[in-house]
Amino acid sequence: MTQRSDDRTVKMGMLLGFLGTIVVFISFYSFLPQVAEEVSLVERLKLGIMCLVFPVTLFFLMIVRVGSQRFGNLSADPTKCEANTEGMKVDLRVLSNTHEQLMIFAINILALSALMPYQFLSLLPIYSGVFVAGRVIFWVGYRRNVLWRAPGFAMSTLPAVIGVGYSCVAVLLAAFESV
């Protein structure tokens, strides 16, 4: 494989991830029930916290996966051997990247739960599901062929970029309204 071919594979994967994310958001938003009236901040934050349950569960399963691979070999002491197989090295990288992504996701989902107009709150569970699906696709892709992680990465990155961007604008607008 050449660098040009690898770049094309990654670009195609990112494009598929972006398009898939948009299709999933639009489809599910069209079919899921919408929030019909304004809800309290407590209810909004409750929804945000509920949307964290499955992403955190996936993260916990990744931790268990890595931990279970340490039993009975040199990597039981990670100060001497971080990973004893290539698969474990990949799992550690996925775990690290998912930790980074989960931090962004958690802050983002809580900010969006407080800042979004109530009519769009049904996007939050969709975001949670897309995040989990993206992380699983990232993990499976990484284990099969490192270049195939791109669709999963795109699925967890595109909503994060949009959500953080929206939250920044909403916070700035609120700050200028009070001045």
Side-chain angles (χ1 to χ4, degrees):
M1 290 253 169
T2 66
Q3 185 62 50
R4 188 177 191 152
S5 175
D6 289 353
D7 291 348
R8 197 170 336 132
T9 300
V10 171
K11 286 178 186 176
M12 184 57 72
M14 292 294 283
L15 181 62
L16 288 172
F18 286 149
L19 292 175
T21 298
I22 292 166
V23 167
V24 167
F25 266 90
I26 291 171
S27 300
F28 278 83
Y29 186 75
S30 299
F31 296 113
L32 287 176
Q34 308 300 313
V35 177
E37 59 187 36
E38 183 60 79
V39 293
S40 70
L41 181 59
V42 170
E43 289 299 313
R44 286 168 164 269
L45 293 175
K46 180 180 173 184
L47 174 63
I49 291 168
M50 289 170 62
C51 290
L52 291 170
V53 170
F54 290 109
V56 168
T57 301
L58 175 65
F59 185 65
F60 179 71
L61 291 174
M62 289 177 170
I63 292 169
V64 169
R65 167 88 176 150
V66 168
S68 68
Q69 292 177 74
R70 292 196 183 284
F71 183 73
N73 59 60
L74 292 175
S75 66
D77 180 353
T79 63
K80 292 182 180 162
C81 175
E82 188 174 11
N84 66 318
T85 65
E86 287 302 311
M88 187 175 179
K89 286 179 185 176
V90 168
D91 289 345
L92 282 166
R93 288 183 182 137
V94 171
L95 180 64
S96 175
N97 184 264
T98 300
H99 180 249
E100 296 161 1
Q101 294 281 336
L102 186 60
M103 290 300 300
I104 294 166
F105 174 81
I107 293 166
N108 202 9
I109 203 91
L110 292 172
L112 290 171
S113 70
L115 298 170
M116 287 178 85
Y118 73 87
Q119 299 91 331
F120 299 108
L121 288 174
S122 62
L123 290 172
L124 297 181
I126 299 168
Y127 179 20
S128 180
V130 166
F131 180 84
V132 170
R135 293 283 85 202
V136 169
I137 291 168
F138 180 84
W139 193 3
V140 170
Y142 211 138
R143 288 187 66 87
R144 302 267 188 243
N145 177 338
V146 70
L147 302 176
W148 295 354
R149 71 192 193 278
F153 183 80
M155 289 177 72
S156 47
T157 302
L158 177 64
V161 168
I162 293 170
V164 168
Y166 175 85
S167 296
C168 287
V169 169
V171 167
L172 287 173
L173 288 175
F176 285 117
E177 282 180 5
S178 64
V179 174

